[in-house]
Every structure is written in C-alpha cells, then in structure tokens.
Coordinates of all heavy atoms in Angstrom, one line a residue:
A6 N -8.1 -3.5 12.9 CA -8.4 -2.4 13.6 C -7.2 -1.4 13.7 O -7.4 -0.2 13.7 CB -8.9 -2.7 15.0
E7 N -6.0 -2.0 13.9 CA -4.8 -1.1 14.0 C -4.5 -0.4 12.7 O -4.2 0.8 12.7 CB -3.6 -2.0 14.4 CG -3.6 -2.5 15.8 CD -3.0 -1.4 16.8 OE1 -2.8 -0.3 16.3 OE2 -3.1 -1.7 18.0
I8 N -4.7 -1.1 11.6 CA -4.5 -0.5 10.3 C -5.5 0.6 10.0 O -5.2 1.6 9.6 CB -4.5 -1.6 9.2 CG1 -3.4 -2.7 9.4 CG2 -4.4 -1.0 7.9 CD1 -2.0 -2.1 9.4
S9 N -6.8 0.3 10.4 CA -7.8 1.2 10.1 C -7.6 2.5 10.9 O -7.8 3.6 10.5 CB -9.2 0.6 10.5 OG -10.2 1.5 10.4
S10 N -7.2 2.3 12.2 CA -6.9 3.5 13.1 C -5.8 4.4 12.5 O -5.8 5.5 12.5 CB -6.6 3.0 14.4 OG -6.3 4.1 15.3
Y11 N -4.7 3.6 12.1 CA -3.6 4.3 11.6 C -3.9 5.1 10.3 O -3.5 6.3 10.2 CB -2.4 3.3 11.3 CG -1.3 3.8 10.4 CD1 -0.4 4.8 11.0 CD2 -1.0 3.4 9.2 CE1 0.7 5.3 10.3 CE2 0.0 3.9 8.4 CZ 0.8 4.8 8.9 OH 1.9 5.3 8.2
S12 N -4.6 4.4 9.4 CA -5.1 5.2 8.2 C -5.9 6.4 8.4 O -5.7 7.4 7.8 CB -5.8 4.1 7.3 OG -6.2 4.7 6.1
S13 N -6.8 6.3 9.4 CA -7.6 7.4 9.7 C -6.9 8.6 10.3 O -7.3 9.7 10.2 CB -8.8 7.0 10.6 OG -8.2 6.6 11.9
N14 N -5.8 8.4 10.9 CA -5.0 9.4 11.5 C -4.0 10.1 10.5 O -3.5 11.2 10.9 CB -4.1 8.8 12.6 CG -4.8 8.4 13.9 OD1 -5.9 8.9 14.1 ND2 -4.3 7.5 14.6
L15 N -3.9 9.6 9.4 CA -3.0 10.2 8.3 C -3.7 11.4 7.6 O -4.9 11.4 7.4 CB -2.6 9.1 7.3 CG -1.8 7.9 7.8 CD1 -1.6 7.0 6.6 CD2 -0.4 8.4 8.2
L16 N -2.9 12.4 7.3 CA -3.3 13.5 6.5 C -3.5 13.0 5.1 O -2.9 12.0 4.7 CB -2.4 14.6 6.7 CG -2.2 15.2 8.1 CD1 -1.1 16.3 8.1 CD2 -3.5 15.7 8.7
S17 N -4.2 13.8 4.3 CA -4.5 13.4 2.9 C -3.2 13.1 2.2 O -3.1 12.2 1.3 CB -5.3 14.5 2.1 OG -4.7 15.7 2.2
H18 N -2.1 14.0 2.4 CA -0.9 13.8 1.6 C -0.1 12.6 2.1 O 1.0 12.4 1.5 CB -0.1 15.1 1.6 CG 0.5 15.4 3.0 ND1 -0.2 16.1 3.9 CD2 1.7 15.3 3.5 CE1 0.5 16.3 4.9 NE2 1.7 15.8 4.8
Q19 N -0.5 12.0 3.2 CA 0.2 10.9 3.7 C -0.4 9.5 3.5 O 0.1 8.5 3.8 CB 0.4 11.0 5.3 CG 1.1 12.3 5.7 CD 1.1 12.4 7.3 OE1 0.0 12.2 7.9 NE2 2.2 12.7 7.9
K20 N -1.7 9.5 2.9 CA -2.4 8.3 2.6 C -1.6 7.3 1.8 O -1.9 6.0 1.9 CB -3.7 8.6 2.0 CG -4.7 9.5 2.8 CD -5.2 8.8 4.0 CE -6.2 9.6 4.8 NZ -6.7 8.9 5.9
W21 N -0.7 7.8 1.1 CA 0.1 6.7 0.2 C 0.9 5.8 1.1 O 1.2 4.6 0.6 CB 1.1 7.5 -0.7 CG 2.1 8.3 0.1 CD1 2.1 9.6 0.5 CD2 3.4 7.9 0.5 NE1 3.2 10.0 1.1 CE2 4.0 8.9 1.2 CE3 4.0 6.7 0.4 CZ2 5.3 8.9 1.8 CZ3 5.3 6.5 1.0 CH2 5.8 7.6 1.7
R22 N 1.2 6.1 2.3 CA 1.9 5.2 3.2 C 1.2 3.9 3.4 O 1.7 2.8 3.7 CB 2.1 5.9 4.5 CG 3.1 7.1 4.5 CD 3.2 7.7 5.8 NE 4.0 8.9 5.8 CZ 5.4 9.1 5.7 NH1 6.1 8.0 5.8 NH2 5.9 10.2 5.6
V23 N -0.2 3.9 3.4 CA -0.9 2.7 3.5 C -0.6 1.7 2.4 O -0.6 0.5 2.7 CB -2.5 3.0 3.6 CG1 -3.3 1.7 3.8 CG2 -2.8 3.9 4.7
G24 N -0.5 2.2 1.2 CA -0.1 1.3 0.1 C 1.2 0.6 0.3 O 1.4 -0.5 0.0
T25 N 2.2 1.4 0.8 CA 3.6 0.9 1.0 C 3.5 -0.1 2.2 O 4.1 -1.2 2.1 CB 4.5 2.0 1.3 OG1 4.5 3.0 0.3 CG2 6.0 1.5 1.5
L26 N 2.7 0.2 3.2 CA 2.6 -0.8 4.3 C 1.9 -2.0 3.9 O 2.3 -3.1 4.4 CB 1.8 0.0 5.4 CG 1.6 -0.9 6.7 CD1 2.9 -1.0 7.4 CD2 0.7 -0.1 7.7
N27 N 1.0 -1.9 2.9 CA 0.3 -3.0 2.4 C 1.3 -4.0 1.8 O 1.2 -5.3 1.9 CB -0.7 -2.6 1.4 CG -1.3 -3.7 0.6 OD1 -1.8 -4.7 1.1 ND2 -1.2 -3.7 -0.8
V28 N 2.3 -3.5 1.0 CA 3.3 -4.4 0.4 C 4.0 -5.2 1.5 O 4.3 -6.4 1.2 CB 4.3 -3.5 -0.5 CG1 5.4 -4.3 -1.0 CG2 3.6 -2.8 -1.6
L29 N 4.4 -4.5 2.5 CA 5.2 -5.2 3.6 C 4.4 -6.2 4.3 O 4.9 -7.3 4.4 CB 5.7 -4.1 4.6 CG 6.4 -4.5 5.8 CD1 7.8 -5.1 5.3 CD2 6.7 -3.5 6.8
L30 N 3.2 -5.9 4.6 CA 2.4 -6.8 5.4 C 1.8 -8.0 4.6 O 1.7 -9.1 5.2 CB 1.2 -6.0 6.1 CG 1.5 -4.9 7.1 CD1 0.3 -4.4 7.7 CD2 2.6 -5.4 8.1
Q31 N 1.6 -7.8 3.3 CA 1.2 -8.9 2.5 C 2.2 -10.0 2.4 O 2.1 -11.2 2.5 CB 0.9 -8.4 1.1 CG -0.3 -7.5 0.9 CD -1.6 -8.3 1.1 OE1 -1.7 -9.4 1.1 NE2 -2.8 -7.5 1.2
K32 N 3.5 -9.5 2.3 CA 4.6 -10.4 2.2 C 4.9 -11.1 3.7 O 5.2 -12.3 3.7 CB 6.0 -9.7 1.9 CG 7.1 -10.5 1.8 CD 7.0 -11.7 0.9 CE 7.0 -11.2 -0.6 NZ 6.8 -12.5 -1.5
W33 N 4.6 -10.3 4.7 CA 4.8 -10.8 6.1 C 3.9 -12.0 6.3 O 4.2 -13.1 6.8 CB 4.4 -9.7 7.0 CG 4.8 -9.9 8.5 CD1 4.5 -11.0 9.2 CD2 5.2 -8.9 9.4 NE1 4.9 -10.8 10.5 CE2 5.3 -9.5 10.6 CE3 5.5 -7.5 9.4 CZ2 5.8 -8.8 11.8 CZ3 6.0 -6.8 10.5 CH2 6.1 -7.5 11.7
V34 N 2.6 -11.8 5.9 CA 1.6 -12.9 6.1 C 1.9 -14.1 5.2 O 1.7 -15.3 5.6 CB 0.2 -12.3 5.9 CG1 -0.8 -13.5 5.9 CG2 -0.2 -11.3 7.0
S35 N 2.3 -13.8 3.9 CA 2.5 -14.9 3.0 C 3.7 -15.7 3.5 O 3.7 -16.9 3.1 CB 2.8 -14.3 1.6 OG 4.1 -13.7 1.5
L36 N 4.6 -15.2 4.2 CA 5.7 -16.1 4.8 C 5.3 -16.8 6.0 O 6.1 -17.6 6.5 CB 6.9 -15.1 5.1 CG 7.5 -14.4 4.0 CD1 8.6 -13.4 4.5 CD2 8.3 -15.4 3.0
G37 N 4.1 -16.6 6.5 CA 3.6 -17.4 7.7 C 4.2 -17.0 9.0 O 4.4 -17.8 9.9
L38 N 4.7 -15.8 9.1 CA 5.4 -15.3 10.3 C 4.5 -14.6 11.3 O 3.5 -14.0 10.9 CB 6.5 -14.2 9.8 CG 7.6 -14.7 8.8 CD1 8.4 -13.6 8.4 CD2 8.4 -15.7 9.5
P39 N 4.7 -14.8 12.5 CA 3.8 -14.3 13.6 C 4.0 -12.8 13.7 O 5.0 -12.2 13.3 CB 4.3 -15.0 14.8 CG 5.7 -15.3 14.6 CD 5.8 -15.6 13.1
G40 N 2.8 -12.2 14.2 CA 2.9 -10.7 14.4 C 1.8 -10.0 13.7 O 1.4 -8.8 14.1
V41 N 1.3 -10.5 12.6 CA 0.2 -9.8 11.8 C -0.9 -10.8 11.6 O -0.7 -11.9 11.2 CB 0.8 -9.4 10.4 CG1 -0.3 -8.7 9.5 CG2 2.0 -8.5 10.5
E42 N -2.1 -10.3 11.9 CA -3.3 -11.1 11.7 C -3.6 -11.4 10.2 O -3.4 -10.3 9.5 CB -4.5 -10.5 12.5 CG -4.4 -10.3 13.9 CD -4.2 -11.7 14.6 OE1 -5.0 -12.6 14.3 OE2 -3.5 -11.8 15.6
S43 N -4.0 -12.5 9.9 CA -4.2 -12.8 8.4 C -5.3 -12.0 7.8 O -5.2 -11.7 6.6 CB -4.5 -14.3 8.2 OG -5.6 -14.7 9.0
D44 N -6.3 -11.6 8.6 CA -7.4 -10.8 8.0 C -6.9 -9.4 7.5 O -7.6 -8.8 6.9 CB -8.6 -10.8 8.9 CG -8.3 -10.1 10.2 OD1 -7.1 -10.0 10.5 OD2 -9.2 -9.8 11.0
C45 N -5.8 -9.0 8.1 CA -5.3 -7.6 7.7 C -5.0 -7.6 6.1 O -5.3 -6.5 5.5 CB -3.9 -7.4 8.3 SG -4.1 -6.7 9.9
T46 N -4.6 -8.7 5.6 CA -4.3 -8.6 4.1 C -5.5 -8.5 3.3 O -5.5 -7.8 2.3 CB -3.6 -10.0 3.7 OG1 -4.4 -11.1 4.1 CG2 -2.2 -10.1 4.4
N47 N -6.6 -9.1 3.7 CA -7.9 -9.0 3.0 C -8.4 -7.5 3.1 O -8.9 -7.0 2.1 CB -8.9 -10.0 3.5 CG -8.5 -11.4 3.3 OD1 -7.9 -11.8 2.3 ND2 -9.0 -12.3 4.2
Y48 N -8.3 -7.0 4.3 CA -8.8 -5.6 4.5 C -7.9 -4.7 3.6 O -8.5 -3.7 3.0 CB -8.6 -5.3 6.0 CG -8.8 -3.8 6.3 CD1 -10.1 -3.3 6.2 CD2 -7.7 -2.9 6.6 CE1 -10.3 -1.9 6.5 CE2 -7.9 -1.6 6.9 CZ -9.2 -1.0 6.8 OH -9.4 0.2 7.1
L49 N -6.6 -4.9 3.6 CA -5.7 -4.0 2.8 C -5.9 -4.0 1.4 O -5.7 -3.1 0.5 CB -4.2 -4.4 3.1 CG -3.8 -3.7 4.5 CD1 -2.4 -4.4 4.9 CD2 -3.6 -2.2 4.5
R50 N -6.3 -5.3 0.9 CA -6.6 -5.5 -0.6 C -7.8 -4.8 -1.0 O -8.0 -4.2 -2.1 CB -6.8 -7.0 -0.9 CG -5.5 -7.8 -0.8 CD -5.8 -9.1 -1.5 NE -4.6 -10.1 -1.3 CZ -4.5 -11.0 -0.4 NH1 -5.5 -11.1 0.4 NH2 -3.5 -11.8 -0.3

C-alpha cells in the first residue's frame, strides 16, 4: 500500500524512481532484513 501510494503521487517524469526503488527493496527482502513486507517484492515485479 505504501509503494502504491508513493507511485500514484509521482508525476509522469518521476515514475522511473519506482524502478530504482524496486532494486533496493528486492535486495532488502532477499537479505531477510526487517522493515519491508515480503509481498512488496511481488507487487514491484
């Protein structure tokens, strides 16, 4: 929900940030670190 809300607030020329955020959060979850819900990675994919 946080990612979806953030993405919807971005202007068209800012949407690329979601792709960069995806790289960070995918690694975050793969390391098993707390702070990011695992279903975020499926949504971002």
Side-chain angles (χ1 to χ4, degrees):
E7 287 283 356
I8 299 299
S9 177
S10 174
Y11 169 68
S12 178
S13 64
N14 288 335
L15 294 175
L16 300 176
S17 58
H18 69 278
Q19 298 176 317
K20 295 292 186 182
W21 62 269
R22 295 180 186 275
V23 178
T25 305
L26 185 63
N27 172 53
V28 174
L29 177 69
L30 298 186
Q31 293 287 353
K32 178 57 67 176
W33 191 320
V34 172
S35 72
L36 293 173
L38 301 171
V41 180
E42 298 296 323
S43 59
D44 61 346
C45 274
T46 57
N47 294 329
Y48 171 73
L49 285 166
R50 287 193 189 99

